[in-house]
Amino acid sequence: METELLLMSIVVFGVLFLFLSLGIWVGFSLFMVGLVGMTFFSSLPAGSNMASSVWSSIEKWEYVALPLFILMGEILY
């Protein structure tokens, strides 16, 4: 069990280091590392699980105000 966890950690950090050293954006690198980790180390389908987790994190009502504040800043600018 511990060796499997160690192997997963090494692979994930290795892929993250590879993406960041290639100059890929941090957000996209983290997304790809999550996708690679879910594909190889989970029995769940990675695409639908990522989509549902992304949707559940952004569908909150409180986040409606953020684009409006950005629009107000652009109008005032």
Side-chain angles (χ1 to χ4, degrees):
M1 178 70 180
E2 291 179 15
T3 57
E4 183 180 325
L5 186 62
L6 181 64
L7 176 67
M8 285 191 290
S9 301
I10 290 171
V11 168
V12 167
F13 281 120
V15 170
L16 180 64
F17 182 73
L18 175 73
F19 285 155
L20 291 177
S21 65
L22 289 174
I24 299 174
W25 293 339
V26 175
F28 187 71
S29 297
L30 290 173
F31 175 76
M32 291 304 294
V33 166
L35 191 64
V36 166
M38 289 181 76
T39 301
F40 291 117
F41 302 119
S42 177
S43 62
L44 298 172
S48 63
N49 197 13
M50 291 284 275
S52 68
S53 67
V54 168
W55 177 255
S56 68
S57 67
I58 64 170
E59 57 104 13
K60 294 181 177 36
W61 177 251
E62 292 85 17
Y63 294 146
V64 172
L66 291 175
L68 295 176
F69 278 117
I70 293 170
L71 178 65
M72 185 184 302
E74 287 295 320
I75 289 171
L76 290 175
Y77 177 68

